[in-house]
Amino acid sequence: MKDLHVSWEEYRRLIETLAFNVYDSGWKFDSLLCLARGGLHPGDILSRIFDMPLNILSTSSYREAAGTIQGSLDIGKYIASSRPDSLKGRVLLVDDLVDSGLTLKKVVEHLQNNYPGVTEVRTAVLWWKSCSQVEPDYYVEYLGDNPWIHQPFEEYDTMRLGQLVAKVEGKRKPE
């Protein structure tokens, strides 16, 4: 199992392909819900392409060792949205990847048990790993060898403000 390194350009292409896959399926959804943090970038872009409000649900399980070790799953109590009651009907649930499948499985159950206005949930991810116990409805790449994925924004997982200041000041032109 080799690591998979993804550039910003590749990442954007994957999100656009995911949007096309959902569109091409012919399935119409009423609400868009992304999982924070991994699903924020894909969710944002899909909300723009489909011209829909973005609902955000915070989940967390990869907290230890700079986000490389999975712990217990925490699901946020509230869904953030700019429009009241915008989570209803057919929901497209967006995340970056499905690894073990635990997060998608538990969030779908959470929506079904706590949001009576939700009638159907379909899942959309960029990467589907073969080790997952859940098959997403929409995905871009199936990863049979379950690589660790290095996404382009991960440099910020360990960057602190002092490092950012040094980086930006190092690129400034002398006055």
Side-chain angles (χ1 to χ4, degrees):
M1 164 179 70
K2 290 186 176 182
D3 287 7
L4 176 62
H5 294 268
V6 181
S7 69
W8 278 111
E9 182 178 329
E10 175 68 5
Y11 189 66
R12 281 190 296 274
R13 185 196 66 75
L14 289 165
I15 296 170
E16 291 170 356
T17 301
L18 182 62
F20 178 81
N21 290 349
V22 172
Y23 162 77
D24 195 45
S25 76
W27 185 68
K28 306 286 188 227
F29 55 96
D30 305 302
S31 303
L32 180 62
L33 175 66
C34 76
L35 300 182
R37 292 186 317 184
L40 282 171
H41 288 289
D44 175 52
I45 293 172
L46 267 63
S47 76
R48 294 166 190 268
I49 290 171
F50 288 101
D51 192 25
M52 298 195 78
L54 180 61
N55 297 284
I56 302 168
L57 177 62
S58 292
T59 59
S60 177
S61 63
Y62 283 91
R63 290 178 292 277
E64 304 299 321
T68 61
I69 298 175
Q70 188 174 24
S72 63
L73 176 65
D74 294 324
I75 298 175
K77 186 175 180 180
Y78 301 103
I79 292 177
S81 178
S82 62
R83 295 190 185 164
D85 301 323
S86 65
L87 190 67
K88 59 187 172 192
R90 296 174 309 268
V91 176
L92 181 63
L93 176 62
V94 179
D95 204 356
D96 55 349
L97 62 96
V98 59
D99 192 354
S100 70
L102 176 67
T103 299
L104 282 186
K105 181 180 178 190
K106 294 290 186 183
V107 169
V108 168
E109 290 171 2
H110 174 77
L111 294 173
Q112 292 169 336
N113 294 332
N114 296 292
Y115 293 87
V118 171
T119 59
E120 181 181 0
V121 180
R122 291 195 186 178
T123 56
V125 298
L126 303 177
W127 299 283
W128 171 28
K129 291 187 178 184
S130 65
C131 60
S132 174
Q133 58 181 300
V134 173
E135 179 178 343
D137 296 292
Y138 307 101
Y139 64 94
V140 179
E141 293 183 351
Y142 175 76
L143 303 174
D145 58 350
N146 302 308
W148 185 260
I149 302 168
H150 298 275
Q151 298 185 48
F153 49 81
E154 286 181 6
E155 70 177 298
Y156 302 108
D157 286 344
T158 56
M159 181 184 290
R160 298 300 168 250
L161 189 55
Q163 294 167 300
L164 176 66
V165 169
K167 180 179 178 179
V168 171
E169 287 180 344
K171 291 181 179 181
R172 286 186 180 170
K173 295 178 183 177
E175 295 179 22

